[in-house]
Amino acid sequence: VSDDLGGEDAGCGGPGLVWLHMAAELHPRSGKLIGLSNSNRTAQRNQPVQEFNHGLVLSREPLRDRDVFTVRIDKKVNSWSGSIEIGVTALDPAGLEFPSSATGLKGGSWIVSGCSVLKDSRSVLEEYGRDLDQLGEGDRVGIQRNGKGELHLWVNGQDCGTAASGLPSRLWAVVDLYGKCTQVTVVSCEPPPEMDGEEVEDEIVSTQAVSIMADACRSHDDRAGAIMLSAAGATTTMMNGSHQLFDVFNNAIVSLYRGGSSSNSSPAGSSGGVAGLGVAAGSMTTNDALLFHEKCGTLIKLSNNNKTGERRRPLDEFNNGVVMTNRPLRNNEMFEIRIDKLVDKWSGSIEIGVTTHNPNNLDYPATMTNLRSGTIMMSGCGILTNGKGTRREYCEFSLDELQEGDHIGLMRKATGALHFYINGIDQGVAANQTPGVVYGVVDLYGMAVKVTIVHNHNHSDRLRRNNAIMRALSPDVGRPRPALSLTPEPDVPDRLLFHLNCGQKAAIISDGRTALRPHATDDFNHGVVLSNRPLHSNEVFQVRIDKMVDKWAGSIEIGVTTHNPTYLQLPSTMTNLRSGTWMMTGNGVMHNGTTILDEYGHNLDRLKAGDTVGVVRKEDGSLHFFVNGVPQGPAAWNVPPSVYAVVDLYGQAAQATIMDDMADLPPLPDDSSEGPTAMSPGSPCSVSGATAANDLRFHQLHGTNAVITNGGRTALRQNCRSEFNDAIVILNRCLRDGELFEIVIQKMVDRWSGSIEAGVTAIRPEELEFPNTMTDIDYDTWMLSGTAIMQDGNTMRNNYGCDLDSLTTGSRIGMMRTATGDLHYFINGLDQGVACTGLPPEVYAVIDLYGQCVQVSITSSSGPLDNSLCTSNITEKSFPIHSPVAGVAHRLHSKHGKNVVLLGDGCQALRVDGYAHGIVFSAKELKTDEVFEVKINKVDDRWSGSLHVGLTTLQPPDLPSCPLSGLSPSLTQLRSKVTWVLAGSEVRRNGVLQRQNYGCSLDRLTVGNRVGVKRCSDDTMHILIDGEDMGPAATAVAKNVYAVLDLYGKVTAVSIVSSTLVEDSESVKAPSLSPDSCSEGEQDSTPCENEPALVPTVMTFLENHGKNIQLSNQNLTAARVSSYNQGLLVTAQALPRQQLFQVCIDRLNPSWTSSLSLGVIGHSPDRLNFPSTACCLKRSVWLLQRDSVFHNSLKICENYGPNLDTCPEGTILGLLVDSSGCLHLFVNGMDQGVAAQDIPSPCYPLIDLYGQCEQVTIVTNHVSVVGGEREDMRCQGDMEKADMVDGIKESVCWTPPPEVNPNKTCEYQALCSRFKELLTLPDGYFNEDAKYNLCYCESCHKLRGDEAYYKRGEPPRDYALPFGWCRFALRIKTHCEVSNAFKKWHIAYHGTSVGSLRRILDHNQLLSAESSSIFSLSPVKTEGHGSYGEPEENSAPEREIPRVQLSPTMRYSGLEVFAPKVQFRDPRSLRCHQAQVGFQVCVRPGSYKVGPTSLGISEPLDPRFSNAEIEWITKEKGGTLLYGLLIRVE
């Protein structure tokens, strides 16, 4: 050891220290942009914002063995991608010509870049160690060559393992200040602390531990238990606080678990003890690594030294993507791949398995499940053996649901059992008696496009697999012992903190107590943080939200996971994790990425800075969440022990702090987006909650189906449509003598019989075992059920003064125990008399949310309510409260006085406390002459004064969130904006008396009277009482005013009886629709008839919309003015049956991806709370997105219509619900068929201006559609089949109207046109009218509604449209020159080379095989000329008839053997592409012979045509006519 340490034993000033000092400096020669300072220890890249490279520096002296050359990152910029790169080189810097970056070094150079290792510019190892691009300022990076000639990377003092081996002895350290990294400082060049004299002891300890495990393996059947026992002994006697032994144990367990130690064990104390643990370890250094075999499926492209396979043309082809390993799998050898790329087009996805077929001899099938021998494949979640299902549900994971980045592995055990692994987790035995020699096989099918083999030497993957395997062996094995903790805290060893391993965009501060996203305004995800240890049973993990940003949608998510944070590869969001994870997100609960509770508890997206959220796993395995200290009820069951707490700082949530000690809790950041007044009601930091005079709340203990929200003030029964009981709630303390406890019924359903039950009990909540109903309790309980008073479950008296079963929404129920022990009930404030006597002094009020009663809230002087919960659909299937009036009723605005509760979907208002603070507004501004009218429902004669009514210029949307404690207590005091109000019989303007003795005094009104207000066209305010206009009350009233009411004094409840003003409009002729009979395929079609003219409803956009939407053009045009989402729109009017609603895409922004989606919503959108995107709507919504149909966010149909993401500007999209309730999509007037059925009435069109789509306009004028009669157009049903070519008539070629032609902005057609221009073919050969040119790319042919196959000719014969090609119409002779019989010819295709195009066009006929050198067919002798057309002038008669190959499908004629590919550079993008050419031709029936393929292809090329009839050979000249030039570009 002393010799190895060299100069460290030298005296002060000795040569060892001098040499070390020089090695810790940078060489004066460096990259051209580098500036050195600080005695050549600091390097800075000049012009860091303008230049990203030329930042290379090297060490001054060569490195000594085991010295770690360490630099600190001082500065970074965000202008570039990539960051610091570090490594070693054998090149002497004195004579080095510096390249622009370290990856350009050769001649013996090893560089770590990102998480890859490169040798002489070539990648030798992927996904190694830490990703250098993710390091920040202050992090330290070091490079080392150890005594064995191995290269090691060190990050912040941690060894990342071996990066390369076989390094020469003389090497210089290399640092590249690349990309974001602009300045570094050399901090040391010396051996690491753990590499001193203790190294020998550690190696002995490790070797002895391995020996103990090997001996245990040989002597015990229960290998895992023996290892744990022996390892514990070794740790106790020989471990000295180091965590390295734990890693040795992990590796030993993995090797033993895979069965590898039996064949590769080493004697104790030998140098090969660790490396010889098993096959997994041994494979790290073998040269026979698993790769993909060079022979693979026809569409597969291999790269990355045959470790990566990718399917070409993933959007056009879904199969022919089979890849196999280059050698058979060994026993217990893991074959694992990572999914790199998926496409969202096909159904089905990756399949993986084994086969006995040798890839050298295998004729690869289109899919591996087609093989009928020697093959076992996992497909979906089942197992297929020789193409037949043997296990339908093998595991809980489905391969079709895996995402990019997920891992799939398989292993054939020595016993012959085949196991599959998903993200490192063993899924169990898939098949027994697997053959001994099998190859690994992967089928890149459907959605799966690209995969990479993951080798066992991959550091992060090995750790992740170790953790999963150890967790499967024992719950305690998968986490480090406290003594082995990387960050021990001797003072508080068991304190809950955040683990230092966190998301890419997260950071841990305040000694592990606080987590934040430092750049929360730039990134919305990658903010996952976990606790540093597992939670104990019944231990509450609670965090406070410190900081919020208002840029994103969504907010904090919290939960638990079985994954150890030390080894977990943190996802972008925890809901992406598919195993061992339970998360509360929004107001739902997700398990392994799947929603298990759709409506649960308080919505986390509504929380503000200062609110708290918590989670606890109880001893019974149930999981509970807390919001502001209030339990939300059980969220999941059977949660395993030893789970870690998880917080996902997602979206708006930017910072959170663990709350384990309120005394030293740090204050909220000064830059919080909201002040204290913006906190959620019920928050412990909330001012209103802290100053509440009444402390009555529902207790946190309650029935199974009950949920407590709103800071303990609101109780509801979840799953109210499927559960009717188990929802008992009880008060948090005893009732005081003479104290009134009152609740209001907020929600009911009509599904059950029976309703709320209320009473008192002397049983303490902690001692109460909550039964199904309170009447089941047989001691110390008094209840009112219906009209019956019950004591201890027995009826004491019937026909009590009130009937609880008759109460409705808005009714109030109160209970009071008098000082004499009597129990009184109060209904809507009225005492119902003594119910029973002799109550004990300490009783708790109890409510049973039974039957029809779903939700109640405490109303008696308990402070302001959280009214956001009063009408929310918090239960799983909320019962809709119908509007009290027909049509589109007026609504009240969600902003109102603090004592008001809105009911009935905003149609009813109830004052629940006091006599004031009852101001409510109309939801919208009143239109001219529009009456806003309410009916008085309840009065309380204990108060004086009455309802106030008027108009105000105050904008309710500008008010802060409810409850509005800052709003004036009465309407007469509202003076912040101009307000006109009638109070009694006095009219006031901003409190100033304007008029006395106006009309009937409002003080005289009582239950049943109606009061209305309107602003007339002469700018006057009129009041209406019971429908009678009282005349002008005020003049000079502003135009933009809201109706305003004050539930003041005796008036406590009102309901709206008016509806919105519907303006008459001129009749607009409805667009006629094409009947289904107008299709090409019918023989006897009838003429198309127009639908009867309808008088459609005038459609406009509703003013309630997404926050990024701006309406104009009388609400006919909508534009998204910011970001890429928050662009939801609905129409103000319901869509009548049989009326076509159409919008035109006005503007697209190519900066974004994806585009608009549209559909219908089955409930009124007036009070709809719009989410960020339409896919988040989950109630009565049918949505067309891309080429799929979704219902309530679930996909119900694929490959429907065109891909909406590809619709260009000018496209007109329409929606129609037919008389049968079926939803249709129209594209440019063409019906795409039924998209969904059973659409309710009424329904409202819904549009999401997402991504590229930034503006649409409702089409109000008549737009011609297929089927409409025009002078130059007939319905296709009127044409003969012979008239049709690809659904287009030659003489009158139908295309969509020019203004909606989908081809005008097709990029693929433009690219093909540019290639055609490069061919320099004469324009005279092509049709001058561009409308005959058709693009058959996926988007265009779907926009036109093309079928894949058509019939043509006499007799009719099938042909396929050339999907994927672009056709340029050729000039053909007119019908007067060529017989009309031409229209009855068949359609075929001919592939050719680019070099033959000009000769074919010059001769106006296809060339023979000799001329084109493409076909090997020989010409046939003929007696006559046989030409249908006239021979060319001065041409001699030909005696040899060329035989030309044709096909009814371009899938055959477009093969490369017929249509060779040529490479060209696009003059616009300067990118290189490959192109093919061919012809669409008309061929005379009888002039060709149908036969089999001449290529010997066995697989079917086209599903419509068998290989026995896919090739046509011409028999005579003149039987073909060139119709169009076809071009395909890759």
Side-chain angles (χ1 to χ4, degrees):
V1 175
S2 177
D3 293 340
D4 290 338
L5 294 178
E8 290 190 5
D9 290 337
C12 180
L17 290 180
V18 174
W19 193 92
L20 176 65
H21 174 74
M22 294 178 64
E25 297 178 7
L26 297 172
H27 199 281
R29 296 194 72 243
S30 57
K32 67 180 184 179
L33 291 180
I34 287 293
L36 299 178
S37 59
N38 188 20
S39 301
N40 286 359
R41 288 177 176 268
T42 298
Q44 180 177 0
R45 190 179 81 234
N46 298 321
Q47 304 176 20
V49 179
Q50 291 80 21
E51 299 290 343
F52 60 89
N53 53 10
H54 293 291
L56 207 56
V57 291
L58 282 77
S59 62
R60 183 169 183 176
E61 300 291 343
L63 296 180
R64 293 181 305 166
D65 286 348
R66 296 169 48 189
D67 277 359
V68 181
F69 184 84
T70 305
V71 299
R72 180 186 65 237
I73 301 176
D74 296 334
K75 292 182 181 179
K76 295 186 72 173
V77 296
N78 291 323
S79 304
W80 313 104
S81 60
S83 187
I84 189 172
E85 298 175 348
I86 192 169
V88 294
T89 181
L91 302 174
D92 190 336
L96 176 64
E97 182 177 347
F98 283 80
S100 60
S101 66
T103 54
L105 287 172
K106 298 183 180 180
S109 302
W110 290 260
I111 303 297
V112 181
S113 174
C115 54
S116 301
V117 181
L118 294 87
K119 178 185 177 184
D120 294 342
S121 301
R122 297 188 62 182
S123 176
V124 294
L125 182 60
E126 290 191 349
E127 298 190 17
Y128 163 77
R130 289 280 298 274
D131 187 351
L132 299 186
D133 294 346
Q134 303 301 324
L135 299 184
E137 296 177 359
D139 285 329
R140 301 187 177 200
V141 190
I143 201 72
Q144 175 200 40
R145 179 195 184 277
N146 65 12
K148 301 177 183 179
E150 297 173 336
L151 182 68
H152 285 243
L153 175 72
W154 293 74
V155 178
N156 292 325
Q158 298 294 321
D159 186 0
C160 295
T162 302
S165 57
L167 273 66
S169 58
R170 184 176 173 83
L171 294 168
W172 281 264
V174 178
V175 180
D176 190 357
L177 279 66
Y178 182 81
K180 294 181 179 180
C181 181
T182 63
Q183 181 176 314
V184 299
T185 296
V186 181
V187 294
S188 65
C189 183
E190 57 188 12
E194 63 270 24
M195 296 297 288
D196 55 14
E198 296 180 2
E199 178 189 12
V200 176
E201 181 182 353
D202 289 343
E203 290 183 358
I204 294 174
V205 171
S206 301
T207 305
Q208 290 180 358
V210 173
S211 177
I212 291 172
M213 296 177 191
D215 292 341
C217 174
R218 289 190 290 269
S219 58
H220 294 276
D221 292 333
D222 187 3
R223 296 178 294 175
I227 287 175
M228 290 301 103
L229 181 60
S230 302
T235 305
T236 304
T237 58
M238 289 173 283
M239 197 64 188
N240 187 23
S242 170
H243 66 275
Q244 294 179 349
L245 180 60
F246 182 70
D247 292 334
V248 176
F249 276 53
N250 282 1
N251 295 333
I253 291 171
V254 175
S255 297
L256 185 60
Y257 184 78
R258 294 175 176 168
S261 59
S262 60
S263 60
N264 252 347
S265 58
S266 299
S270 67
S271 61
V274 176
L277 277 173
V279 173
S283 65
M284 291 172 60
T285 58
T286 179
N287 292 325
D288 193 17
L290 272 177
L291 303 172
F292 288 130
H293 198 280
E294 292 183 351
K295 185 179 178 184
C296 49
T298 56
L299 291 179
I300 287 294
K301 176 181 67 175
L302 299 179
S303 59
N304 189 20
N305 295 327
N306 286 6
K307 288 191 293 184
T308 298
E310 182 176 3
R311 191 179 83 237
R312 291 187 289 248
R313 295 164 53 195
L315 298 179
D316 299 327
E317 303 289 344
F318 59 87
N319 54 10
N320 289 307
V322 177
V323 286
M324 293 173 60
T325 57
N326 60 334
R327 61 168 174 80
L329 303 180
R330 302 188 179 101
N331 288 340
N332 304 311
E333 180 181 19
M334 174 70 76
F335 169 56
E336 187 172 23
I337 59 168
R338 179 188 67 236
I339 301 176
D340 294 335
K341 185 178 181 181
L342 298 169
V343 294
D344 187 17
K345 178 176 181 180
W346 313 103
S347 60
S349 187
I350 192 169
E351 299 174 351
I352 186 172
V354 295
T355 182
T356 59
H357 294 277
N358 189 317
N360 291 304
N361 307 323
L362 178 64
D363 186 8
Y364 278 78
T367 65
M368 279 303 293
T369 52
N370 289 347
L371 277 184
R372 300 305 182 194
S373 63
T375 303
I376 303 174
M377 299 292 293
M378 181 176 177
S379 175
C381 57
I383 302 298
L384 300 176
T385 302
N386 300 331
K388 297 182 178 179
T390 54
R391 295 189 63 178
R392 186 170 184 178
E393 294 187 2
Y394 163 61
C395 68
E396 62 176 323
F397 295 97
S398 173
L399 300 187
D400 298 344
E401 298 175 354
L402 296 184
Q403 305 296 316
E404 294 177 359
D406 284 335
H407 291 230
I408 317 170
L410 61 86
M411 179 188 296
R412 182 197 179 277
K413 303 280 187 177
T415 60
L418 180 64
H419 290 242
F420 288 92
Y421 298 79
I422 307 295
N423 287 325
I425 300 177
D426 190 353
Q427 304 301 305
V429 178
N432 293 304
Q433 300 178 352
T434 307
V437 179
V438 290
Y439 293 81
V441 59
V442 179
D443 192 347
L444 295 177
Y445 181 81
M447 296 187 294
V449 175
K450 184 179 181 182
V451 297
T452 295
I453 294 178
V454 179
H455 288 136
N456 290 335
H457 61 244
N458 187 294
H459 180 71
S460 59
D461 294 329
R462 186 178 76 252
L463 291 177
R464 176 177 48 76
R465 274 200 302 274
N466 289 2
N467 185 44
I469 293 172
M470 289 185 295
R471 185 169 63 250
L473 289 174
S474 170
D476 295 328
V477 178
R479 67 175 190 269
R481 307 300 190 271
L484 304 177
S485 175
L486 299 178
T487 57
E489 291 190 22
D491 297 335
V492 191
D494 202 34
R495 187 178 186 182
L496 265 179
L497 300 172
F498 288 121
H499 197 280
L500 295 180
N501 182 26
C502 55
Q504 297 177 10
K505 307 297 184 182
I508 307 299
I509 59 175
S510 301
D511 297 325
R513 298 191 57 200
T514 299
L516 74 155
R517 289 199 337 267
H519 305 290
T521 57
D522 299 329
D523 306 289
F524 61 88
N525 55 6
H526 288 290
V528 176
V529 290
L530 283 79
S531 62
N532 62 332
R533 63 165 174 82
L535 299 178
H536 305 308
S537 293
N538 298 322
E539 180 181 19
V540 177
F541 174 81
Q542 188 171 221
V543 298
R544 182 192 69 190
I545 302 176
D546 298 335
K547 185 178 180 181
M548 305 277 288
V549 295
D550 58 0
K551 180 175 182 181
W552 312 106
S555 187
I556 193 170
E557 299 174 355
I558 189 171
V560 295
T561 182
T562 59
H563 293 275
N564 190 321
T566 305
Y567 308 121
L568 178 63
Q569 286 183 322
L570 293 168
S572 59
T573 65
M574 279 302 290
T575 52
N576 289 344
L577 214 55
R578 302 295 181 179
S579 63
T581 304
W582 293 259
M583 297 294 294
M584 181 179 178
T585 166
N587 61 344
V589 179
M590 303 184 75
H591 174 43
N592 297 340
T594 302
T595 300
I596 58 175
L597 286 179
D598 197 19
E599 301 287 351
Y600 170 83
H602 194 105
N603 194 329
L604 300 187
D605 295 343
R606 299 178 181 176
L607 298 183
K608 303 295 182 182
D611 288 339
T612 63
V613 289
V615 63
V616 61
R617 180 200 174 272
K618 296 191 175 181
E619 289 182 352
D620 59 359
S622 62
L623 189 69
H624 297 249
F625 292 97
F626 296 82
V627 178
N628 290 324
V630 179
Q632 306 297 300
W637 291 263
N638 300 321
V639 177
S642 300
V643 289
Y644 294 80
V646 183
V647 173
D648 193 345
L649 296 176
Y650 182 80
Q652 297 179 359
Q655 180 175 319
T657 296
I658 297 177
M659 296 182 62
D660 59 350
D661 186 1
M662 290 295 293
D664 64 345
L665 189 67
L668 292 177
D670 294 335
D671 58 345
S672 296
S673 60
E674 303 281 359
T677 57
M679 299 173 188
S680 293
S683 167
C685 302
S686 174
V687 175
S688 60
T691 59
N694 198 310
D695 59 346
L696 283 176
R697 302 287 187 274
F698 290 119
H699 199 278
Q700 62 181 5
L701 299 177
H702 48 71
T704 303
N705 291 328
V707 174
I708 307 298
T709 63
N710 188 22
R713 299 183 184 92
T714 299
L716 58 94
R717 187 178 78 241
Q718 58 183 347
N719 305 324
C720 60
R721 307 289 288 180
S722 57
E723 301 287 347
F724 62 89
N725 57 6
D726 280 325
I728 297 170
V729 292
I730 189 170
L731 271 188
N732 62 336
R733 64 166 175 83
C734 301
L735 289 177
R736 303 184 180 102
D737 289 346
E739 180 180 25
L740 176 66
F741 168 70
E742 188 180 48
I743 59 168
V744 59
I745 300 176
Q746 294 180 317
K747 189 173 292 185
M748 301 186 72
V749 297
D750 59 357
R751 180 177 177 85
W752 313 104
S753 61
S755 187
I756 189 172
E757 298 177 352
V760 295
T761 181
I763 307 173
R764 294 173 55 85
E766 296 80 4
E767 301 170 355
L768 178 62
E769 295 182 3
F770 289 87
N772 292 334
T773 64
M774 279 302 293
T775 53
D776 292 340
I777 296 180
D778 57 2
Y779 69 102
D780 295 342
T781 302
W782 297 260
M783 297 294 296
L784 174 60
S785 175
T787 62
I789 303 295
M790 306 182 71
Q791 179 180 358
D792 302 339
N794 299 314
T795 301
M796 298 174 54
R797 56 177 289 194
N798 282 312
N799 301 318
Y800 179 63
C802 65
D803 183 3
L804 297 189
D805 293 343
S806 65
L807 300 183
T808 59
T809 301
S811 298
R812 306 193 315 275
I813 308 170
M815 290 172 285
M816 178 189 296
R817 180 196 179 276
T818 65
T820 59
D822 298 337
L823 177 63
H824 288 244
Y825 285 92
F826 294 79
I827 303 297
N828 296 324
L830 299 179
D831 189 354
Q832 305 298 308
V834 176
C836 52
T837 59
L839 268 65
E842 294 185 355
V843 291
Y844 296 81
V846 62
I847 301 294
D848 192 347
L849 299 175
Y850 182 81
Q852 295 181 356
C853 183
V854 174
Q855 179 175 315
V856 298
S857 284
I858 300 174
T859 65
S860 59
S861 303
S862 56
L865 292 174
D866 181 1
N867 294 294
S868 63
L869 295 174
C870 296
T871 58
S872 65
N873 51 349
I874 197 95
T875 53
E876 185 172 55
K877 296 181 180 178
S878 251
F879 179 72
I881 302 176
H882 296 287
S883 170
V885 295
V888 183
H890 280 125
R891 296 289 187 273
L892 296 173
H893 202 280
S894 59
K895 308 292 181 65
H896 47 69
K898 71 176 185 178
N899 286 338
V900 171
V901 174
L902 298 186
L903 303 170
D905 200 20
C907 293
Q908 303 172 30
L910 173 68
R911 195 183 77 236
V912 296
D913 192 21
Y915 64 92
H917 291 287
I919 296 178
V920 293
F921 304 88
S922 61
K924 299 179 183 179
E925 293 179 356
L926 292 187
K927 300 176 182 178
T928 301
D929 293 324
E930 182 178 16
V931 177
F932 184 90
E933 189 175 34
V934 299
K935 180 178 71 173
I936 299 176
N937 293 337
K938 293 179 183 179
V939 297
D940 187 348
D941 293 326
R942 292 181 298 175
W943 307 107
S944 62
S946 185
L947 182 75
H948 302 161
V949 63
L951 300 174
T952 180
T953 58
L954 178 65
Q955 302 286 318
D958 297 338
L959 295 172
S961 300
C962 280
L964 297 178
S965 56
L967 197 60
S968 301
S970 69
L971 188 55
T972 55
Q973 301 174 32
L974 183 62
R975 300 170 186 176
S976 58
K977 295 288 184 179
V978 180
T979 302
W980 297 263
V981 59
L982 174 64
S985 60
E986 296 179 344
V987 180
R988 295 178 179 269
R989 181 182 185 274
N990 279 9
V992 179
L993 181 63
Q994 303 288 310
R995 184 173 178 180
Q996 291 180 314
N997 300 320
Y998 170 78
C1000 177
S1001 174
L1002 300 184
D1003 294 339
R1004 300 179 183 177
L1005 300 181
T1006 185
V1007 174
N1009 288 129
R1010 292 180 290 119
V1011 182
V1013 62
K1014 71 175 179 177
R1015 179 195 172 277
C1016 297
S1017 56
D1018 58 354
D1019 297 337
T1020 59
M1021 179 179 77
H1022 288 235
I1023 303 297
L1024 294 87
I1025 297 179
D1026 292 330
E1028 182 180 355
D1029 193 338
M1030 298 289 105
T1035 59
V1037 177
K1039 295 186 181 300
N1040 301 320
V1041 290
Y1042 285 76
V1044 60
L1045 303 171
D1046 188 359
L1047 278 64
Y1048 185 81
K1050 67 179 183 180
V1051 175
T1052 60
V1054 299
S1055 60
I1056 296 177
V1057 294
S1058 59
S1059 59
T1060 55
L1061 183 63
V1062 180
E1063 299 177 357
D1064 294 331
S1065 57
E1066 296 180 0
S1067 299
V1068 179
K1069 185 178 180 180
S1072 57
L1073 305 178
S1074 172
D1076 294 336
S1077 60
C1078 295
S1079 61
E1080 183 183 354
E1082 296 187 18
Q1083 292 284 356
D1084 302 322
S1085 58
T1086 58
C1088 296
E1089 298 178 1
N1090 289 333
E1091 296 289 336
L1094 302 175
V1095 180
T1097 301
V1098 176
M1099 308 293 284
T1100 58
F1101 288 124
L1102 184 67
E1103 293 183 357
N1104 181 27
H1105 47 66
K1107 69 178 184 180
N1108 289 335
I1109 288 296
Q1110 179 177 326
L1111 300 181
S1112 60
N1113 187 24
Q1114 296 180 339
N1115 290 0
L1116 295 175
T1117 298
R1120 192 183 75 242
V1121 296
S1122 178
S1123 188
Y1124 61 92
N1125 57 7
Q1126 299 284 358
L1128 278 175
L1129 288 161
V1130 289
T1131 60
Q1133 300 80 18
L1135 180 63
R1137 292 288 198 258
Q1138 291 294 102
Q1139 177 171 328
L1140 180 62
F1141 168 77
Q1142 296 187 112
V1143 295
C1144 179
I1145 300 177
D1146 297 334
R1147 186 172 69 244
L1148 296 176
N1149 184 351
S1151 302
W1152 306 105
T1153 58
S1154 299
S1155 189
L1156 90 164
S1157 54
L1158 71 164
V1160 293
I1161 186 169
H1163 55 84
S1164 174
D1166 286 331
R1167 290 182 54 82
L1168 182 63
N1169 185 19
F1170 288 97
S1172 58
T1173 63
C1175 60
C1176 297
L1177 293 170
K1178 298 182 179 180
R1179 177 184 164 209
S1180 190
V1181 173
W1182 290 261
L1183 188 67
L1184 306 172
Q1185 192 174 47
R1186 296 185 295 274
D1187 60 350
S1188 301
V1189 184
F1190 295 80
H1191 175 45
N1192 295 344
S1193 79
L1194 298 177
K1195 185 182 294 186
I1196 61 175
C1197 178
E1198 288 185 317
N1199 300 320
Y1200 171 81
N1203 189 336
L1204 298 183
D1205 289 351
T1206 61
C1207 291
E1209 293 179 2
T1211 303
I1212 294 181
L1213 302 175
L1215 295 170
L1216 178 137
V1217 180
D1218 61 25
S1219 57
S1220 301
C1222 297
L1223 177 67
H1224 295 247
L1225 171 69
F1226 283 73
V1227 180
N1228 293 328
M1230 300 184 67
D1231 189 355
Q1232 305 299 310
V1234 175
Q1237 298 176 336
D1238 299 326
I1239 305 299
S1241 179
C1243 64
Y1244 299 80
L1246 166 76
I1247 298 175
D1248 188 358
L1249 298 187
Y1250 183 83
Q1252 293 185 353
C1253 185
E1254 291 189 338
Q1255 181 173 308
V1256 297
T1257 297
I1258 296 177
V1259 178
T1260 57
N1261 58 325
H1262 175 72
V1263 178
S1264 299
V1265 297
V1266 176
E1269 292 291 343
R1270 289 175 49 175
E1271 294 180 1
D1272 59 343
M1273 187 190 310
R1274 293 184 295 151
C1275 176
Q1276 293 182 8
D1278 290 339
M1279 303 180 186
E1280 299 180 15
K1281 283 187 167 52
D1283 294 343
M1284 304 300 296
V1285 174
D1286 306 347
I1288 297 172
K1289 187 177 181 184
E1290 280 81 1
S1291 58
V1292 185
C1293 177
W1294 185 90
T1295 61
E1299 64 274 14
V1300 296
N1301 190 346
N1303 291 333
K1304 69 176 183 178
T1305 58
C1306 177
E1307 288 298 327
Y1308 181 72
Q1309 186 180 33
L1311 177 61
C1312 293
S1313 297
R1314 293 195 293 271
F1315 173 72
K1316 172 179 167 288
E1317 295 300 322
L1318 295 176
L1319 299 177
T1320 64
L1321 299 173
D1323 293 338
Y1325 287 133
F1326 296 93
N1327 197 307
E1328 296 177 353
D1329 194 343
K1331 71 180 180 181
Y1332 295 99
N1333 301 333
L1334 287 183
C1335 178
Y1336 291 97
C1337 71
E1338 180 186 13
S1339 301
C1340 290
H1341 81 72
K1342 283 189 174 182
L1343 282 171
R1344 292 191 301 268
D1346 294 338
E1347 299 289 341
Y1349 301 93
Y1350 287 93
K1351 291 181 180 293
R1352 176 187 167 86
E1354 292 184 0
R1357 184 177 287 275
D1358 288 343
Y1359 70 97
L1361 291 192
F1363 289 164
W1365 295 73
C1366 188
R1367 187 186 75 187
F1368 298 91
L1370 297 172
R1371 187 190 300 271
I1372 59 176
K1373 296 182 179 180
T1374 60
H1375 286 215
C1376 59
E1377 299 179 41
V1378 179
S1379 170
N1380 286 333
F1382 154 71
K1383 296 187 296 182
K1384 301 180 181 180
W1385 289 14
H1386 295 148
I1387 292 292
Y1389 303 97
H1390 173 77
T1392 187
S1393 65
V1394 171
S1396 302
L1397 285 180
R1398 181 62 186 269
R1399 282 176 291 167
I1400 292 175
L1401 292 173
D1402 288 345
H1403 290 81
N1404 197 25
Q1405 63 180 7
L1406 300 177
L1407 296 180
S1408 64
E1410 295 176 348
S1411 302
S1412 64
S1413 69
I1414 296 296
F1415 312 109
S1416 58
L1417 302 174
S1418 58
V1420 177
K1421 296 285 183 179
T1422 183
E1423 294 182 358
H1425 187 277
S1427 173
Y1428 191 80
E1430 295 295 331
E1432 293 186 7
E1433 187 178 358
N1434 299 327
S1435 62
E1438 295 181 11
R1439 303 301 299 170
E1440 293 185 352
I1441 303 304
R1443 299 179 61 193
V1444 178
Q1445 173 271 348
L1446 302 170
S1447 178
T1449 172
M1450 278 304 288
R1451 293 191 180 187
Y1452 182 70
S1453 291
L1455 293 176
E1456 195 167 356
V1457 65
F1458 302 129
K1461 296 180 180 178
V1462 295
Q1463 188 169 351
F1464 75 99
R1465 182 183 296 273
D1466 181 17
R1468 174 176 294 180
S1469 66
L1470 302 182
R1471 293 178 55 190
C1472 290
H1473 300 273
Q1474 288 186 322
Q1476 294 176 276
V1477 295
F1479 285 97
Q1480 185 181 37
V1481 300
C1482 300
V1483 55
R1484 186 170 63 235
S1487 67
Y1488 60 91
K1489 175 183 178 182
V1490 177
T1493 171
S1494 60
L1495 302 180
I1497 299 176
S1498 59
E1499 290 187 21
L1501 295 173
D1502 193 301
R1504 180 66 68 94
F1505 307 103
S1506 70
N1507 286 4
E1509 56 180 10
I1510 202 169
E1511 185 173 289
W1512 300 355
I1513 305 298
T1514 59
K1515 299 187 297 185
E1516 57 188 51
K1517 187 177 179 181
T1520 60
L1521 181 71
L1522 302 181
Y1523 186 76
L1525 172 65
L1526 298 176
I1527 295 176
R1528 179 168 66 182
V1529 175
E1530 294 182 359

